Amino acid sequence: MCGIVGYIGEREAYPIVLEGLKRLEYRGYDSAGIALYDGQDIKLSKTKGKVMDLEARVDQEIETNGTVGIGHTRWATHGVPNDVNSHPHYSNSGDLVIIHNGIIENYESLKQELIKRGYIFKSDTDTEVLINLIEDVKKNENVKLGKAVQIALNQVIGAYAIAVFDKNKPNEIVVAKLGSPLAIGIGENEFFIASDATPFLEYTKKAIYLEDEEMAIVRRKKGVKIRKIKNDSLVAPYIQELQMNLEQIVKGGYEHFMLKEIYEQPHAIKDTYRGRLRAKQGIIKMSGIDDNIEKFLNANRIIVIACGTSWHAGLVAEYIFEDLARIPVEVEYASEFRYRNPIITEKDVVIAISQSGETADTLAAIKLAKSKGAFVFGVCNVVGSSIARETHAGAYTHAGPEIGVASTKAFTTQITVLTLIALKLAKEKGSISNSKFHLHLQELELIPSKVEQALKSDPHIKIVAETYKEAKNCLYLGRGFNFPVALEGALKLKEISYIHAEGYPAAEMKHGPIALIDEHMPVFVIATKKGHYEKVVSNIQEIKSRKGKIIGIVTEGDTDVKNLADHIIEVPETLEILTPLLTTIPLQLLSYHIAVLLDKNVDQPRNLAKSVTVE
Ligand code: F6R
């Protein structure tokens, strides 16, 4: 996730901004940049790579005196990571400069308008569109910077935290927020701007956290004036006294990155469908699919290749694609696929799923599929990653950086992207009725709030975790769309708590694993109301009669499983194909709490790496 930093005051801005960028490195980034005002002009230095690389570049490129500056660490969303796409971005005149965290959804139409008016764009970013829109408004409406920012933002659809500086108004920085975080540190005659308080903690403990749809003009000496972006009304600043230490702020107040990322899922899922899903109009817009629609519609079959958690998302996709779009799907471990001389033809479409976009086995499998003439579509989280570059087309998940080694928000956002694709193909093929299509779109839009609801069971899940933390083995069962969730639940437990766990299709239990069941075996059963409910209840009875401990993941208000189970954890009701997006949540939390109770290194489990770039 991008990080933004700014300073305006009486000290030299450069060391404060640079140090601030280093503090924000934990957010994950691929490039960094800085803009400093030297008393006459805005000097800019930026680079793909690390803040360290930026530092070396600044030393050679620009003077570092001046008491106003803004800096940015970029995590690419529009345009690959490179020097040009890095922030800050100038406006065409060079008078204005911007840093931006977020996504401007309607940037393409705004860009076309600006091009018609003579604007030239150097980068592929949505951010350069925004700064030129601000410049255009400022000139045409003859207004000051703050007003221009406000008018421009009212034309923008998307999410942002921005800081804008005008060399003709060197005593102020204009900031605004919608969806992405922005904090203003209040010092004595000096102000700090940042994505969170870490960059300014040693200078001040007083901070204002902007709310969504608020903007602020931060004036040297004069202070901070906050307004609503929509109706221009003034907002009384609420200054908080910060109690947290550095470590707590980096993790957003959570004890671990994994927990933070679990809780980020409502937001991350929304970011995944932002700009793609228009439920009211009944539209799904995905350029990677739109541009290649014939390839998908004429495909003999879809082959999904992935590893680990991404492979589990692929298995969910198999159920969804076949159910909705009626296209045959095969799901392959990339590591097996690449070495087993698979039959691939030009009529096959391959979907490669990878959070990091760097997994060596998946990359090799893609190259093999391409060499046989298949069309390869990537579903990645990291923009500009090797897999994103190696595939013919793709769709990013936009989950933001995942730092905890155990994948959480990557999984749910991958499923979200794949569901969008399946629905789109189903609509194109006519394999879904209009009413069913609309219903699915509406329900998908409700998922973030339902995930939020599911997260509310956290205190109860902690109690369940306490009960089963000493288990030596655990079984996870699910059917249909939730069979892959059972696999994912078991994987999460294994990798962070080192407890042996197996995921199984519930009905397969009688073909072997049932022999394992005794009073020491916790069995986590996904038994939501929709999807083979009665059959799963019968499976639960089989476990019960062998004295197994049953923890049911059930639909809100369930009574049948409740009467049989030792514990239940409720999730909100949704359409059957969307249930994995909800049932996953308690299983992630459960693994997390068990690992914490066992005092394991949750964010960096032993023997595991976030990016598996070796075979
Ligand atoms: C599990 C986990 C791994 C990854 C796997 C693939 O929590 O993180 O199983 O899912 O290594 O990684 P990506 O998705 O980056 O290709």
Side-chain angles (χ1 to χ4, degrees):
M1 206 84 65
C2 304
I4 67 178
V5 189
Y7 175 80
I8 185 162
E10 291 167 349
R11 307 178 209 229
E12 235 183 61
Y14 176 61
I16 297 170
V17 175
L18 187 80
E19 191 51 38
L21 292 179
K22 289 182 184 163
R23 295 270 174 84
L24 294 179
E25 282 189 305
Y26 76 90
R27 295 170 68 86
Y29 70 106
D30 47 57
S31 26
I34 206 160
L36 300 166
Y37 176 66
D38 66 4
Q40 285 192 318
D41 236 326
I42 304 166
K43 295 283 159 51
L44 203 147
S45 182
K46 53 190 193 170
T47 183
K48 180 182 171 188
K50 295 286 156 199
V51 176
M52 234 171 57
D53 305 318
L54 174 70
E55 201 171 354
R57 204 153 175 162
V58 169
D59 284 346
Q60 307 209 335
E61 286 182 352
I62 59 174
E63 286 297 321
T64 57
N65 48 12
T67 54
V68 192
I70 53 178
H72 189 262
T73 47
R74 175 173 189 248
W75 200 77
T77 57
H78 292 80
V80 296
N82 62 26
D83 294 359
V84 178
N85 287 336
S86 309
H87 301 206
H89 289 282
Y90 282 125
S91 62
N92 270 197
S93 71
D95 284 359
L96 310 184
V97 71
I98 189 170
I99 48 176
H100 167 218
N101 168 10
I103 301 170
I104 308 296
E105 286 166 27
N106 58 336
Y107 82 104
E108 197 50 59
S109 56
L110 294 170
K111 188 173 182 175
Q112 293 315 317
E113 277 304 307
L114 289 165
I115 288 172
K116 276 190 211 148
R117 294 214 275 278
Y119 284 86
I120 293 165
F121 292 91
K122 295 190 181 116
S123 75
D124 306 316
T125 63
D126 48 349
T127 307
E128 198 187 5
V129 175
L130 180 56
I131 193 63
N132 282 306
L133 179 65
I134 294 168
E135 176 151 291
D136 194 57
V137 171
K138 191 167 173 285
K139 270 193 211 148
N140 289 337
E141 313 249 340
N142 198 17
V143 287
K144 291 184 182 156
L145 179 66
K147 194 71 196 166
V149 169
Q150 185 185 21
I151 296 170
L153 289 179
N154 274 308
Q155 298 177 32
V156 152
I157 302 168
Y160 50 77
I162 56 167
V164 185
F165 178 73
D166 178 352
K167 75 172 186 188
N168 302 308
K169 298 274 281 176
N171 286 323
E172 68 182 40
I173 298 177
V174 177
V175 296
K177 163 188 158 53
L178 175 62
S180 306
L182 199 139
I184 303 169
I186 317 286
E188 289 285 324
N189 289 331
E190 61 180 357
F191 299 93
F192 307 81
I193 291 149
S195 298
D196 60 45
T198 50
F200 55 75
L201 216 54
E202 72 252 48
Y203 302 103
T204 179
K205 290 264 194 277
K206 289 195 173 72
I208 299 170
Y209 286 90
L210 279 197
E211 297 291 338
D212 277 349
E213 300 190 335
E214 284 180 359
M215 59 178 289
I217 302 182
V218 182
R219 290 202 177 93
R220 196 196 300 267
K221 294 192 178 145
K222 286 197 185 155
V224 180
K225 194 168 259 181
I226 305 175
R227 289 183 182 280
K228 289 275 179 209
I229 295 169
K230 277 220 172 102
N231 62 15
D232 201 37
S233 58
L234 271 176
V235 177
Y238 171 57
I239 301 177
Q240 293 189 31
E241 197 71 40
L242 298 173
Q243 309 289 351
M244 288 191 241
N245 61 33
L246 209 63
E247 163 94 358
Q248 284 168 317
I249 291 176
V250 164
K251 291 181 182 149
Y254 293 97
E255 210 183 320
H256 298 98
F257 282 113
M258 182 182 174
L259 189 62
K260 176 170 176 267
E261 286 156 10
I262 290 173
Y263 271 84
E264 276 173 356
Q265 286 175 110
H267 199 248
I269 293 171
K270 217 181 256 176
D271 281 346
T272 303
Y273 68 58
R274 194 189 292 283
R276 292 169 168 162
L277 170 65
R278 299 201 190 129
K280 278 200 194 94
Q281 295 103 312
I283 296 173
I284 295 173
K285 223 174 146 294
M286 297 179 88
S287 56
I289 301 290
D290 292 325
D291 297 347
N292 301 288
I293 193 78
E294 293 304 322
K295 295 225 163 51
F296 282 92
L297 296 180
N298 296 329
N300 278 344
R301 59 177 179 163
I302 291 174
I303 305 170
V304 178
I305 47 176
C307 302
T309 291
S310 297
W311 185 80
H312 294 153
L315 269 189
V316 177
E318 177 181 18
Y319 283 79
I320 298 176
F321 271 78
E322 295 201 343
D323 187 47
L324 295 178
R326 308 302 296 150
I327 303 174
V329 179
E330 286 166 28
V331 188
E332 301 260 6
Y333 283 115
S335 52
E336 285 298 310
F337 180 83
R338 62 182 288 201
Y339 285 120
R340 70 167 180 76
N341 194 15
I343 299 165
I344 314 163
T345 72
E346 285 167 13
K347 296 278 277 178
D348 291 327
V349 165
V350 170
I351 299 183
I353 310 172
S354 174
Q355 187 285 129
S356 62
E358 302 297 342
T359 301
D361 284 323
T362 310
L363 202 51
I366 290 169
K367 288 181 182 159
L368 174 67
K370 276 174 73 182
S371 74
K372 308 264 182 190
F375 173 74
V376 186
F377 188 90
V379 174
C380 293
N381 191 33
V382 178
V383 174
S385 54
S386 304
I387 291 176
R389 294 198 309 273
E390 190 62 43
T391 43
H392 293 113
Y396 288 115
T397 48
H398 295 312
E402 198 179 59
I403 294 170
V405 164
S407 216
T408 51
K409 63 178 178 171
F411 181 64
T412 45
T413 54
Q414 285 163 349
I415 294 175
T416 305
V417 164
L418 293 160
T419 306
L420 286 171
I421 298 174
L423 282 165
K424 191 169 175 58
L425 295 180
K427 185 77 172 56
E428 291 288 337
K429 281 192 70 178
S431 57
I432 189 169
S433 68
N434 252 340
S435 57
K436 192 172 169 190
F437 180 72
H438 280 269
L439 181 68
H440 278 71
L441 264 50
Q442 283 158 11
E443 194 56 33
L444 189 53
E445 218 173 35
L446 295 177
I447 287 295
S449 63
K450 293 191 175 184
V451 171
E452 203 110 47
Q453 190 61 29
L455 288 165
K456 293 204 173 120
S457 296
D458 197 6
H460 169 59
I461 294 170
K462 208 169 166 181
I463 295 168
V464 179
E466 182 72 55
T467 316
Y468 297 105
K469 67 172 197 268
E470 303 298 345
K472 296 283 169 271
N473 300 286
C474 293
L475 212 50
Y476 285 72
L477 304 178
R479 291 186 81 145
F481 297 93
N482 283 296
F483 156 53
V485 177
L487 296 181
E488 175 61 8
L491 177 63
K492 286 291 87 89
L493 187 71
K494 277 186 270 211
E495 60 186 343
I496 59 170
S497 70
Y498 319 142
I499 294 173
H500 174 244
E502 296 279 353
Y504 256 92
E508 266 297 301
M509 202 188 46
K510 58 185 170 292
H511 299 288
I514 199 161
L516 293 168
I517 291 176
D518 62 15
E519 67 274 27
H520 304 296
M521 176 70 96
V523 188
F524 299 91
V525 191
I526 303 160
T528 46
K529 267 273 149 59
K530 298 204 182 95
H532 319 290
Y533 178 70
E534 285 77 20
K535 306 261 180 226
V536 179
V537 172
S538 307
N539 298 140
I540 290 174
Q541 265 152 347
E542 289 159 14
I543 303 162
K544 180 111 186 134
S545 53
R546 285 155 185 87
K547 297 197 174 67
K549 299 276 179 272
I550 297 153
I551 306 96
I553 314 300
V554 300
T555 309
E556 257 164 18
D558 178 285
T559 47
D560 295 4
V561 178
K562 193 174 179 186
N563 291 337
L564 292 170
D566 296 270
H567 293 90
I568 57 157
I569 303 167
E570 294 188 333
V571 294
E573 187 163 2
T574 188
L575 297 174
E576 187 185 356
I577 74 158
L578 301 178
T579 49
L581 292 167
L582 303 181
T583 51
T584 303
I585 307 297
L587 298 184
Q588 292 171 343
L589 285 169
L590 209 103
S591 307
Y592 170 78
H593 287 302
I594 292 181
V596 171
L597 289 166
L598 295 176
D599 204 21
K600 302 296 183 218
N601 186 343
V602 173
D603 283 333
Q604 286 171 325
R606 69 184 182 204
N607 308 336
L608 294 179
K610 187 69 191 156
S611 232
V612 186
T613 53
V614 292
E615 274 196 47

